[in-house]
Amino acid sequence: RRQRQMCIRDSDRLADLPNVVAMKIMTTLDLPTTMGLYELLGDRLVVGTVNFSFTPMLVKFYGMQWSGAWTVEALQSPEKPYFVEMMHLLQQGKIEEALQIYWKITPAIKTLYNLMAPLLPKGLHPWPHLKFYQYLVGGNGGIGPVREDRGVTFTLTPAERAAFRDAYRDIGIEPAMNDEEFLVGRAAYARGARAEDVLPNPQWEA
């Protein structure tokens, strides 16, 4: 309760600064707190949330225009921009059509939340996993140098890679399949780089 009160108090103070124009509400905040922030700040800031399940309600009742940065690649691809289409429909007042997209991509939402839900309250981000998500729908990829997040190194396992690909297939997207290309990055792979150039790496489990 104290943390929630501090969040609202600090947000109210920051909203009055002339160079503050928007607020991103994190997934870890519950619905009542999120609604309270919209009530308090909605007429002063462009407020968005990365909690996907709140999106339909917030667009309809609070005019939400954006969601802030998050792993939206986990739910769509350039060829099938599901989230973009859903937002457009919501903003046009076509709620039922928007919700049809929401339910279509629910399997991918659950897979992403299963990954992120235990980590976000601790302020942690599994960077190899997030880059892998991007690669599967067209991003460059690349495992990169070992990166710690608050002292934690995340390892991308075969089971996790399979689960991400299955989630895409469940929503009608065929993911990229070349793990070696991901490891070195698309651009480097095209130049001839291969897995032995970047492995071993504790962020990758073969």
Side-chain angles (χ1 to χ4, degrees):
R1 179 182 176 183
R2 182 181 178 186
Q3 186 179 25
R4 182 164 57 246
Q5 290 173 337
M6 290 176 61
C7 171
I8 293 175
R9 181 199 65 197
D10 292 344
S11 299
D12 189 26
R13 177 177 57 83
L14 290 169
D16 288 333
L17 298 178
N19 60 336
V20 176
V21 298
M23 168 184 282
K24 171 185 172 182
I25 300 178
M26 295 302 295
T27 310
T28 50
L29 293 183
D30 58 21
L31 182 57
T33 304
T34 300
M35 291 177 65
L37 288 168
Y38 268 93
E39 293 284 350
L40 180 66
L41 307 172
D43 61 342
R44 288 181 282 166
L45 300 178
V46 179
V47 183
T49 178
V50 296
N51 193 321
F52 188 75
S53 62
F54 294 175
T55 300
M57 183 202 69
L58 294 176
V59 173
K60 180 175 181 179
F61 293 106
Y62 291 99
M64 174 178 155
Q65 302 176 49
W66 73 301
S67 66
W70 58 287
T71 315
V72 68
E73 299 92 351
L75 309 181
Q76 63 177 16
S77 69
E79 296 75 24
K80 297 184 177 181
Y82 292 127
F83 179 76
V84 173
E85 292 172 353
M86 191 189 83
M87 283 290 289
H88 285 166
L89 290 169
L90 287 170
Q91 291 169 346
Q92 294 167 22
K94 299 177 180 179
I95 306 300
E96 289 303 318
E97 293 177 51
L99 290 178
Q100 288 178 15
I101 296 178
Y102 178 90
W103 293 118
K104 176 181 177 64
I105 59 180
T106 294
I109 297 169
K110 290 181 176 178
T111 299
L112 178 62
Y113 278 13
N114 287 342
L115 171 69
M116 300 301 295
L119 303 177
L120 289 178
K122 303 174 185 178
L124 297 173
H125 293 79
W127 299 112
H129 300 65
L130 303 184
K131 287 194 73 177
F132 190 67
Y133 260 127
Q134 294 171 346
Y135 165 75
L136 291 178
V137 288
N140 184 65
I143 194 66
V146 178
R147 178 176 180 178
E148 291 187 353
D149 192 346
R150 303 194 180 195
V152 179
T153 299
F154 290 96
T155 301
L156 182 59
T157 68
E160 290 169 328
R161 300 196 294 272
F164 296 168
R165 285 182 167 120
D166 286 345
Y168 280 121
R169 294 189 185 100
D170 285 343
I171 63 173
I173 295 173
E174 186 57 36
M177 293 300 298
N178 190 337
D179 281 354
E180 187 170 33
E181 184 183 55
F182 164 74
L183 281 168
V184 300
R186 290 181 192 274
Y189 187 84
R191 295 194 301 267
R194 293 298 180 261
E196 59 266 23
D197 298 321
V198 296
L199 294 180
N201 186 311
Q203 300 172 123
W204 180 266
E205 181 181 318

